[in-house]
Every structure is written in structure tokens, then in C-alpha cells.
């Protein structure tokens, strides 16, 4: 056996910057998201189908406030859309990546691991922005939704949206480690999401729910996200429809930020790069 | 300056393994395995299904945690990988069935962004015979084409050390030759290569040294041409009415020729192939299978 001396390391050049790699991940993840045609159709079509359904079933105006059904459901469906792309799609997608070896392959690369998460979150942001734009366009064109004109309303929209998408995405990343396999992921992740939509004011106005359900829903971010979006699209007139008579924007920010931080901690501590059969 | 032995060992060898053990529940997958792979060497690991090859290789790659033993790969413990260390290592896993919606070219370009000095994706596609599939989505490739992508991704970062776990599974004969050329080229450039395979002719064509692993330990190790006494083994002279094993086959043939007065009916002269030696080694390892407790320690 011949042991030749160790060759000098060949790569004198420094490794590419983590930011460059994260952006490359974002580009690839976004490309892949849009190429999965079924998922794209589902993501974009579902909120629109719900909007058409609800606007047809409950037409009219909430008494005394001038708030239209279109306004109410647009706000709720944006919240559920954010949760759908960030939490549900992302969670199921990552569970699939873990099952089929995508994650394992990436873990073997000289890639800073946060780059993977940043790529996922940016791709979710892009997807959700488009989803919301389409939903708003349809609500404006066909259901007479009037977009707010004040800058402050859009500023609120921006922070609720960014905070909401980030919180949903880190929770999606965290929840992806929960299902035992990629196959069970859809069931494990979709169930809590569907339940949350019913109790958080997406489908049914939160004022119609029993107290204990409202209390339970108030633990989770979706209720607060929808509340934030209502403040944007219903305006001051709609505040009377809230349980407390106010949109409580401070609490919205607080709860969403708490979920974002909690989700980040969960991601860092519980994320599995390997499937259960990978030893 | 006095350096501790493990540092010297890590520098002299690309890979150094002592007393490696790993168990899954009741299964002792790796049972006290020792290995040394020199820099620039092409090292093949042979062994039956379930022998512990992939487990060992994935421990060396930093994927799996070991239970016991000392492991140094390019001067580091693979249980504590760094980005810099990973950038010097290329990995082709035994099973990779990710079905991405990216094309072959996009995938190679993307992986290239992680390395300081990557290979050119277009040249690489040419080398592994994927030039015609460059625009195809990974999901649409055939099994063998898919495997070529795995190999390309393993070498795209110009690794110093390349792990190949059954790389040519599903390759047609032409693809296999092409792959051998690629590996021979990498070896000429000084890349250290660790390869597991069930194709003994592949090990013979590529490897400077082979190790035969059975039941989680190395049962034989050496040059494929001389493994298990193959180089000095007796030749077998067979003809239609008998056969003998002899150190002097030429003399035996001459003697036979005299006996038959010219042509010897059905004459063959053979030496044991790598496969013969391999099968004998594997069978010799077999008694351990019958519930005998596996002895602990660093025999061998
Ligand atoms: N993740 C795992 N969980 C449980 N047992 C495992 C796991 N991976 C491997 N094993 C067991 O460990 C033993 C060695 O497996 P390993 O995959 O290392 O074998 P191998 O030599 O690579 O075999 P092959 O030639 O079939 O690839 C086998 O008995 C296998 O069943
Ligand atoms: Mg294997």
C-alpha cells in the first residue's frame, strides 16, 4: 500500500457567499413551485372558488356598517391563502423532500443550511403575493370590492402580510418534521389547517362562534392574521363587527411575532434532514 | 514538534477508520471495521447485500452517526462536518429517487453555485453522456440517465475525495465504460475514490485496492490481482476426461499433449477470477451468521 503525501487543498478560492447560495435556492424553489402544475392550480384557484361560493351564498351587507360580504371574505381568504401556501403547502412539500431524498442530497452539499429555509420562504412569498393579487383583482372586478386608498391601510397590509407569511412559513417548516412519512404528511398537516379556517373567521364570522372556540382559535395565528386583513379591507366601519369593537392591531403584531419566533426555535431544534429510513 | 498520532494518520491517509461499529436495533450493521485509504487511491468495497457497506460509507460522508470507533476523513471527524470539508467531498448515494421538476442542466448549474471552483456543467453533461438530455426534467429521465445525473452531481465540485455507492446500477454497458473512463480520469488527476460495487469486473478495472466486507467487518483486503492468494493460486487445467490443479500448468499441458498424442480434447487452463476468490471469502465468513455472538474488538 502506498500512502502518497496529502495533496495541497485544491480550492484556494473562497466558497461562494451564503447570500448568493440562498438567492440561488430561492430561484430554484420558485421555479419548481410554478412547475408543479396541480399545486399551482390548487393554490390559485381555491381561494377564488371560495370567494365565488361565499359571495353567492351570502350576498348583501352587514347591517348598520355598510360592510359587504366581498370585503369580509376577501380579508378572510387572504389570511387562509397565506396559511395555505406558507403552512400547508410548504409543510407537505418539505415532508416530500425528506421522503424522496432531496433533503439528504442537499445536506451533503457545502451549502449553509439556512440557505435552504430562506429559499423556501422567499418562494412562498412570491407565490403568495401572486395569489393575493389574483384574488384582489377578482374581488374588485366582479364583486365590487373597493381597495383602500390610504397609505396607512397599505402599510398595515404590508406588515401583516410579511409577518403572517413568515410565521406561516416557519411553522410549515417546523410541522414538516411531524409526519412519519411523506405519504401521511397531507393528512397530518391539512387537518389542523382546515379546522383553523373554520374557527378563525375565514368561513364563518368569528362573532357567530361560541366563546370557548374563539378562545381556542385566539391561540393560533390565523385568527389574528384575518383580523389584521379585515382592518385593511373593512376599514373603520367594520371595527364594530369585531368582538372587542376594535381590530387590536397591537395584539395582532404581538401574536404573529410570537409565532414567528416560536416557529424559528422549533425549526432550529427539531428540523430533521433525514427521513426515518436514512439511519 | 510532536504531533499526536491521529493527526499524522489523518494527514497520511485520506480516510482512516478503526474499530467502527454501528447497530440498528438488533442488527449489528458494522461490527468493528478498520480501513485505510491513501490519498489518490481508488479503493473498492465489495460485499454481499446487507454487509454494511452503505452504512460505513454514509458514516464517512457525515450522514450517519457511529456508535463506536475512530474515523478521520480528510483530517476531520465526519460527525462534525464543516462547509469547507463538505466542499472537498463528492457524494453519490446508493438510492436517490428525488423527482425534481428541474431540468438536468438547471440542476447541475444550481449545484455548481455551492462550490468555489466547480466543473463546467455543459462539459460534464458531455462526459457522462447526458448532453442529449440536458433540457429534460429529472422526473422524465430513465433510471440509467437518472443515475448519470447522480454521478455528475457527485463530481461537479471537483472533490478531492469522491464516494460512489453502487454508482453504475442501471447503467448499460456503454454507459459503464464511459463511467470507467470518467473515474480513471479523475484518479489520474489525483482524486481519491471510494467505490462500492457488486460488479467485480468494475472493481478489477478501477480499483488499486479492494476490501471485502462481510457481516460488518473487513474479511480480506488487497490488490484485486492478488486478493485472497489469487496471484499465487494454482491454475486449473481441465479437459474432457479430468481436471487438475497445479503450479506448473505448462508442464501439465505438455504432458497431457504427449498422452493424447497432439490435441487435448476440451482443454481449458484457468486461474481463479476475482469472483471465485470473492465467493470463497464470503462463504468463509458465513458461519458467523448462525446466531454466534459476534466477537467484539479489533481482530484482523
Ligand atoms: N436505516 C436503517 N435502519 C435499520 N436498519 C438498517 C438501516 N440501514 C441499514 N440497516 C441494516 O444494516 C445492515 C447493513 O445495511 P447496509 O445498507 O449498510 O448494507 P450494504 O452492504 O450497503 O448492502 P447492499 O449491497 O444491499 O447495498 C442491513 O442488515 C440493513 O438491514
Ligand atoms: Mg448499500
Amino acid at each position: 500500500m502506498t500512502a502518497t503525501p496529502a495533496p495541497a487543498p485544491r480550492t484556494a478560492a473562497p466558497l461562494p457567499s451564503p447570500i448568493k447560495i440562498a438567492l440561488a435556492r430561492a430561484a430554484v424553489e420558485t421555479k419548481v413551485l410554478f412547475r408543479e402544475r396541480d399545486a399551482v392550480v390548487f393554490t390559485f384557484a381555491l381561494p377564488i372558488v371560495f370567494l365565488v361560493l361565499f359571495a353567492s351564498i351570502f350576498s348583501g351587507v352587514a347591517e348598520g356598517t355598510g360592510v359587504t360580504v366581498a370585503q369580509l371574505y376577501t380579508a378572510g381568504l387572504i389570511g387562509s391563502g397565506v396559511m395555505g401556501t406558507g403552512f400547508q403547502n410548504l409543510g407537505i412539500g418539505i415532508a416530500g423532500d425528506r421522503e424522496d431524498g432531496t433533503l439528504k442530497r442537499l445536506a451533503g452539499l457545502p451549502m449553509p443550511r439556512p440557505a435552504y429555509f430562506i429559499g423556501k420562504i422567499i418562494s412562498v412569498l412570491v407565490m403568495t403575493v401572486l395569489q393575493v393579487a389574483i384574488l384582489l383583482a377578482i374581488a374588485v372586478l366582479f364583486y365590487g370590492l373597493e381597495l383602500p386608498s390610504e397609505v396607512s391601510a397599505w402599510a398595515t397590509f404590508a406588515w401583516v402580510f410579511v409577518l403572517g407569511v413568515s410565521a406561516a412559513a416557519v411553522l410549515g417548516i417546523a410541522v414538516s418534521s411531524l409526519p412519519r412519512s411523506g405519504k401521511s404528511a397531507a393528512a397530518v398537516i391539512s387537518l389542523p389547517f382546515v379546522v383553523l379556517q373554520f374557527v378563525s373567521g375565514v368561513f364563518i364570522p368569528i362573532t357567530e362562534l361560541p366563546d370557548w372556540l374563539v378562545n381556542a382559535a385566539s391561540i393560533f395565528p390565523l385568527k389574528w392574521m384575518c383580523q389584521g386583513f379585515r382592518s385593511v379591507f373593512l376599514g373603520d366601519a367594520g371595527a364594530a363587527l369585531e368582538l372587542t369593537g376594535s381590530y387590536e392591531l397591537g395584539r395582532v403584531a404581538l401574536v404573529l411575532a410570537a409565532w414567528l419566533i416560536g416557529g424559528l426555535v422549533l425549526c432550529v431544534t427539531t428540523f430533521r434532514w433525514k427521513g426515518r429510513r436514512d439511519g | 514538534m510532536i504531533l499526536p498520532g491521529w493527526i499524522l494518520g489523518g494527514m497520511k491517509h485520506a480516510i482512516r477508520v478503526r474499530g467502527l461499529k454501528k447497530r440498528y436495533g438488533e442488527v449489528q450493521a458494522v461490527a468493528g471495521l478498520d480501513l485505510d485509504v491513501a490519498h489518490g487511491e481508488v479503493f473498492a468495497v465489495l460485499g454481499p447485500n446487507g454487509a454494511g457497506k452503505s452504512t460505513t460509507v454514509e458514516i464517512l460522508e457525515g450522514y450517519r452517526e457511529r456508535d463506536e470507533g475512530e474515523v478521520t476523513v480528510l483530517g476531520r471527524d465526519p460527525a462534525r462536518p464543516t462547509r469547507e470539508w463538505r466542499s472537498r467531498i463528492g457524494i453519490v448515494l446508493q438510492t436517490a429517487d428525488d423527482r425534481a421538476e428541474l431540468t438536468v442542466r438547471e440542476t447541475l448549474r444550481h449545484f455548481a453555485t455551492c462550490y468555489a471552483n466547480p466543473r463546467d456543467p455543459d462539459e460534464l453533461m458531455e462526459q457522462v453522456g447526458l448532453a442529449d438530455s440536458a433540457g429534460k426534467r429529472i422526473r422524465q429521465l430513465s433510471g440509467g440517465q437518472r443515475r448519470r445525473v447522480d454521478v455528475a452531481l457527485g463530481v461537479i465540485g471537483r472533490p478531492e475525495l469522491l464516494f460512489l455507492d453502487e454508482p453504475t446500477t442501471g447503467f448499460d454497458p456503454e454507459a459503464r465504460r464511459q463511467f470507467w473512463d470518467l473515474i480513471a480520469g479523475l484518479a489520474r488527476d489525483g482524486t481519491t475514490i471510494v467505490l462500492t460495487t457488486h460488479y467485480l469486473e468494475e472493481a478489477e478495472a478501477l480499483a488499486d485496492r479492494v476490501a471485502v466486507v462481510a457481516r460488518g467487518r473487513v474479511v480480506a483486503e488487497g490488490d484485486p490481482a492478488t486478493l485472497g492468494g489469487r496471484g499465487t493460486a494454482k491454475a486449473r487445467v481441465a479437459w474432457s476426461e479430468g481436471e487438475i490443479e497445479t503450479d506448473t500448468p505448462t508442464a501439465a499441458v505438455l504432458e497431457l499433449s504427449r498422452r493424447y498424442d497432439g490435441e487435448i480434447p476440451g482443454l481449458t487452463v484457468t486461474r481463479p477470477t476475482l469472483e471465485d476468490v470473492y465467493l470463497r471469502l464470503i462463504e468463509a465468513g458465513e458461519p458467523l451468521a448462525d446466531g454466534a455472538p459476534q466477537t467484539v474488538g479489533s481482530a484482523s
Side-chain angles (χ1 to χ4, degrees), chain B residues 61 86 88-92 115 154-155 159-164:
Chain B
E61 293 163 345
R86 285 212 178 287
R88 296 162 66 198
I89 286 179
I91 297 173
V92 176
Y115 296 93
V155 303
E160 275 168 56
L161 169 60
L162 175 62
F163 290 102
L164 301 156

Side-chain angles (χ1 to χ4, degrees), chain A residues 105, chain B residues 91-92 98 103-105 107-108 111 124-125 128 130 133 136-138 141-156 171:
Chain A
R105 192 196 284 283
Chain B
I91 297 173
V92 176
D98 40 335
T103 66
V104 173
R105 185 187 289 112
T107 307
L108 291 185
F111 276 58
L124 188 52
M125 282 188 287
V128 298
L130 279 171
S133 324
K136 268 198 197 169
R137 302 237 177 127
I138 304 275
L141 299 179
S142 76
Q145 290 171 330
R146 184 72 188 60
R147 202 64 185 140
R148 297 181 198 202
V149 175
D150 293 337
V151 170
L153 293 177
V155 303
I156 193 147
F171 276 17

Side-chain angles (χ1 to χ4, degrees), chain A residues 131-189:
Chain A
Q131 182 195 43
V132 169
I134 293 175
L135 187 71
L136 284 180
I138 290 192
V140 168
L141 289 177
F142 298 106
Y143 297 100
L145 176 77
E146 284 184 32
L147 295 179
S149 51
E150 319 87 69
V151 176
S152 65
W154 286 107
T156 307
F157 178 84
W159 72 253
V160 175
F161 183 79
V162 170
L163 209 53
V165 170
S166 317
V170 295
L171 288 175
I173 294 168
V175 80
S176 74
S177 298
L178 202 62
R180 290 192 67 82
S181 75
K183 288 196 191 74
S184 59
V188 172
I189 295 172

Side-chain angles (χ1 to χ4, degrees), chain B residues 14 21 31 55 90-91 93 103 123 165 184 204 207 257 279 283:
Chain B
K21 289 187 188 171
T55 302
I91 297 173
L93 293 167
T103 66
E123 264 171 41
D165 198 354
E204 194 152 27
S257 177
L279 290 173
E283 273 160 29

